[in-house]
Amino acid sequence: MLVQALGKIGQTLVVLFIVSIATFGLLKLAPGDPVQIMLGSEYSQEAYESLTAEMGLDRSFLVQYADWAINFVQGDWGTSFVARTDIFTYGFKEALPVTLTLAFFSLSFAILIGVPLGVLSAVKKDTAFDAGSAVFALTGTAFPSFLLGILLIWFFGVRLGWFPVMGYVSPWEEFWTGIYHMILPGLTLSTYFIAMITRLTRASLIEVLEEPYIAAARARGEPSWRVIWVHGVRNIAMPLVTILGLQLGTLLQGTVLTETVFNLPGIGQMLTSAVLGREYGVVQAGVIMTALLFIGVNLLVDLSYPILDPRLRDRK
Amino acid sequence: MTAQASPLATKAPAPATNPPAGPPKSKRRGRRSIFVRRPFFTVSLIVALAYLLAAIFAPYVAPYDPVLQSYDAMMQPPTAAHPMGTDSYGQDILSRTIFGARFALIIGFFSVIIGAVGGLVIGLAAGLSGGWVEWGLMRLIDSILALPSLILAVAFIAILGQGVDKVVIAVGLSMIGPFSRTVRADVMRVRVQGFVEAARLMSIPSLQVVWRHVLPNVIFPLAVQVTIRISEAILVSSSLSFLGIGVTPPTPDWGLMIAEGRDFVSFAPWMSAMPGFALALLLIALSIVGDGIREEFDPKGRRGA
């Protein structure tokens, strides 16, 4: 098992290397010569060459990459001219926590609502409730989240005035106000996942409920809530965790849109304004943070299988 | 790609009967038509075709010029003259929504084609090679998949700039990852089958084996994937426009229209809602059509895998 885990970690490192070198190389292709931009319209050939050398742009691609990577690991990500701060503070300390908070709340909503909904439709299979939840699941997975966000703002924010429509308050500092501000964005982002988890829970639970150990539990006279919620739901944890890990990318790209709808200062807003301001360093930082998150979580998912499924622990 | 492949394939006399297309067809023959068995699929297909027709005949269907601005008719709620209202420039939202179908479908279609062709090349290479090359290509696919398609498209837009053509390229490139993964899986499935083995044993050059026996068996599931993923491409492209970094105004793009209406949602909600519902309805219809096609035609789904 240790060998397997090390192999996984090795693979992950290779993927990280490819992602980082590709991002670095790709944004080198971006239009505009950085030296020319810094020098302005009039400059001498010597000034051009000396600045090129000073910025290290005369060295080979790999040396430049290595240099950049070392700086990146040390938290030296360069400066953002639009936000007037260094990118590490801007991206990692300010934007990332907002995105993670939003992702955390959405995922919690999704699990807290999606799993019970899926279990209920599996138990009440082929009833009106099941049909209703199937329609909801289908609509929920196909409905564009940014439109849903605007509709929620219009209905709950403007018409009813129940919730604040914009702004971010960190729930880690002011707990209740923060949560209050997170409800609409969290719902917007989580609808897709509620629908997806409902579908998945229903499908896997129907399969699990036909297993012999469920019949055995019933035969022992265990109450049906225990049969379903303990014996049943425990056994759908694996597919659920796998899919959630794989869908993390969808979650992250959802945060980009939700942040724009609700004006939350997260990675999404950072990326959008960086693209509009042509700040390639910031785009690079945002892209790599997203990739790191995705890769990291999927490594955790892979490594968590033996914890979730005891049968996997014994294999070498 | 497929259009190029077919004339070459018909030139050769032997492979007129493609092994995989045979059994599913005969199985279906005895059953009722798909349109009768799947009413939701049929309705959704009709809806999707209606969008296609609206897109093709947009100039004849739309009551106004989609970019005609009118200062006398700004932000009007839906009336008889403007059934979906007007936006902040006095442009007719119904006309813009109809023309929007054109952009959505064009962008969706062409970007999926780019993604499918790129995915076919990488997926074939990864599925047919072995050893270190395969391992390397797999890690490459992993790396592309490590970035969600919208984020990847944002990165490409950062380099390419904005505009309809740029959006098509950015979205297309960002879809190569998922396509190459499914192509590779199909290649792995096909290459261990008897007829490929037989062709190899007859010492047919390996390039010819790929062309004549592997490729035809990969193209069909790929075509299924293409239809399924068009809705994804439309969603990503309209998301880019919604973020304000995709298509530039005054192009009548749904994502852009939704974004423009966002600031006026408190007193002119129809500005976002009308193009928004057009987009949502198309996406839901396409996803039902995609589900139907997948369940009917996807060989993996049928085997219960």
Side-chain angles (χ1 to χ4, degrees):
Chain A
M1 203 189 111
L2 189 67
V3 180
Q4 268 184 346
L6 285 179
K8 272 276 163 219
I9 293 170
Q11 274 186 7
T12 306
L13 289 177
V14 173
V15 169
L16 263 183
F17 174 73
I18 300 177
V19 168
S20 62
I21 205 165
T23 320
F24 179 76
L26 211 59
L27 291 166
K28 281 247 157 232
L29 294 175
D33 181 347
V35 179
Q36 247 177 20
I37 292 169
M38 288 189 82
L39 284 173
S41 52
E42 279 180 39
Y43 52 86
S44 65
Q45 190 61 34
E46 291 90 68
Y48 184 85
E49 271 158 24
S50 76
L51 190 61
T52 307
E54 200 183 305
M55 291 170 75
L57 294 173
D58 54 346
R59 297 169 305 167
S60 77
F61 176 78
L62 278 178
V63 176
Q64 285 187 45
Y65 167 74
D67 195 42
W68 170 82
I70 290 168
N71 281 337
F72 190 87
V73 172
Q74 289 173 340
D76 179 5
W77 294 8
T79 313
S80 159
F81 298 103
V82 173
R84 295 176 192 284
T85 46
D86 72 301
I87 300 175
F88 183 71
T89 315
Y90 177 36
F92 191 78
K93 291 188 183 158
E94 289 169 8
L96 184 64
V98 177
T99 300
L100 287 182
T101 308
L102 177 59
F104 173 78
F105 274 95
S106 311
L107 210 55
S108 313
F109 286 166
I111 294 173
L112 290 178
I113 302 172
V115 172
L117 215 56
V119 169
L120 279 181
S121 13
V123 174
K124 296 175 190 267
K125 196 177 137 198
D126 298 328
T127 61
F129 178 84
D130 184 31
S133 98
V135 170
F136 160 73
L138 185 80
T139 322
T141 42
F143 207 81
S145 68
F146 50 94
L147 174 64
L148 180 70
I150 291 177
L151 293 178
L152 288 178
I153 287 183
W154 175 72
F155 191 71
F156 289 107
V158 180
R159 292 300 293 269
L160 298 175
W162 287 359
F163 294 103
V165 294
M166 259 153 221
Y168 174 73
V169 178
S170 168
W172 318 115
E173 281 159 20
E174 283 178 66
F175 188 70
W176 291 113
T177 327
I179 288 190
Y180 187 49
H181 278 254
M182 266 301 149
I183 288 181
L184 285 190
L187 266 183
T188 303
L189 183 51
S190 62
T191 300
Y192 172 84
F193 293 93
I194 296 174
M196 195 197 69
I197 291 179
T198 306
R199 261 180 162 180
L200 184 72
T201 305
R202 178 184 180 274
S204 354
L205 193 62
I206 286 175
E207 232 167 76
V208 164
L209 287 181
E210 283 173 3
E211 295 283 333
Y213 53 76
I214 296 289
R218 287 221 167 95
R220 281 196 299 273
E222 292 191 34
S224 67
W225 64 265
R226 216 185 117 81
V227 172
I228 288 157
W229 288 96
V230 178
H231 297 281
V233 173
R234 256 178 78 170
N235 283 293
I236 62 169
M238 273 257 302
L240 210 56
V241 169
T242 309
I243 295 289
L244 284 181
L246 288 173
Q247 291 286 332
L248 183 81
T250 318
L251 185 69
L252 289 174
Q253 75 181 24
T255 60
V256 172
L257 294 165
T258 311
E259 282 164 16
T260 307
V261 175
F262 289 92
N263 256 329
L264 305 175
I267 290 182
Q269 274 212 337
M270 181 181 102
L271 270 176
T272 326
S273 62
V275 170
L276 289 173
R278 304 214 163 259
E279 286 206 276
Y280 300 114
V282 181
V283 176
Q284 210 167 32
V287 169
I288 288 189
M289 277 195 289
T290 316
L292 271 175
L293 265 176
F294 185 83
I295 294 169
V297 169
N298 275 295
L299 180 64
L300 285 181
V301 167
D302 275 347
L303 297 179
S304 77
Y305 286 153
I307 301 169
L308 289 173
D309 190 346
R311 282 169 299 187
L312 293 176
R313 282 177 214 162
D314 303 323
R315 285 187 206 155
K316 49 181 174 175
Chain B
M1 193 73 200
T2 37
Q4 284 175 345
S6 50
L8 277 169
T10 44
K11 212 189 283 173
T17 49
N18 282 337
K25 246 178 205 157
S26 56
K27 217 190 250 173
R28 271 201 305 274
R29 199 164 291 154
R31 290 153 70 187
R32 280 182 300 163
S33 143
I34 175 174
F35 301 109
V36 181
R37 277 180 290 122
R38 294 176 178 273
F40 286 111
F41 173 84
T42 314
V43 171
S44 307
L45 193 65
I46 292 170
V47 170
L49 288 177
Y51 272 83
L52 187 64
L53 289 177
I56 293 171
F57 298 107
Y60 307 101
V61 183
Y64 298 87
D65 180 346
V67 291
L68 178 75
Q69 304 189 351
S70 159
Y71 294 101
D72 304 326
M74 285 197 312
M75 275 197 263
Q76 285 182 355
T79 53
H82 300 279
M84 287 190 180
T86 57
D87 66 7
S88 55
Y89 299 100
Q91 304 175 108
D92 180 54
I93 293 182
L94 175 64
S95 307
R96 287 177 69 74
T97 304
I98 291 172
F99 273 89
R102 207 172 237 206
F103 286 94
L105 291 175
I106 287 176
I107 293 174
F109 181 75
F110 283 104
S111 50
V112 159
I113 294 298
I114 293 179
V117 171
L120 184 66
V121 172
I122 298 183
L124 268 181
L128 292 171
S129 57
W132 281 101
V133 181
E134 186 194 6
W135 193 85
L137 282 170
M138 278 310 291
R139 297 293 84 77
L140 182 71
I141 296 176
D142 282 352
S143 315
I144 307 176
L145 288 172
L147 284 166
S149 42
L150 179 61
I151 308 277
L152 208 54
V154 168
F156 286 124
I157 285 285
I159 300 163
L160 295 167
Q162 292 169 254
V164 175
D165 49 339
K166 314 285 173 46
V167 170
V168 169
I169 298 172
V171 175
L173 289 177
S174 72
M175 295 187 84
I176 289 179
F179 272 117
S180 49
R181 188 175 49 179
T182 51
V183 170
R184 175 179 173 271
D186 287 327
V187 172
M188 303 289 278
R189 186 174 48 78
V190 172
R191 79 168 184 185
V192 294
Q193 282 182 10
F195 57 90
V196 176
E197 196 94 332
R200 285 238 170 86
L201 288 175
M202 289 192 285
S203 69
I204 294 172
S206 55
L207 212 66
Q208 218 173 332
V209 175
V210 171
W211 187 251
R212 213 171 272 176
H213 300 282
V214 178
L215 204 58
N217 289 293
V218 172
I219 287 291
F220 183 69
L222 186 67
V224 172
Q225 282 287 319
V226 164
T227 56
I228 293 170
R229 287 189 186 276
I230 283 182
S231 62
E232 191 186 329
I234 292 176
L235 181 61
V236 171
S237 68
S238 56
S239 301
L240 282 177
S241 303
F242 175 75
L243 292 175
I245 57 177
V247 172
T248 47
T251 312
D253 181 279
W254 293 334
L256 202 62
M257 293 166 72
I258 298 171
E260 283 167 356
R262 177 181 162 273
D263 299 329
F264 305 104
V265 68
S266 49
F267 51 93
W270 59 87
M271 274 179 65
S272 288
M274 296 303 176
F277 283 123
L279 172 64
L281 184 64
L282 177 61
L283 288 179
I284 292 171
L286 283 178
S287 109
I288 296 174
V289 170
D291 278 355
I293 290 179
R294 176 164 47 209
E295 280 161 25
E296 288 288 318
F297 299 107
D298 198 344
K300 266 169 293 180
R302 187 169 310 142
R303 276 166 213 176

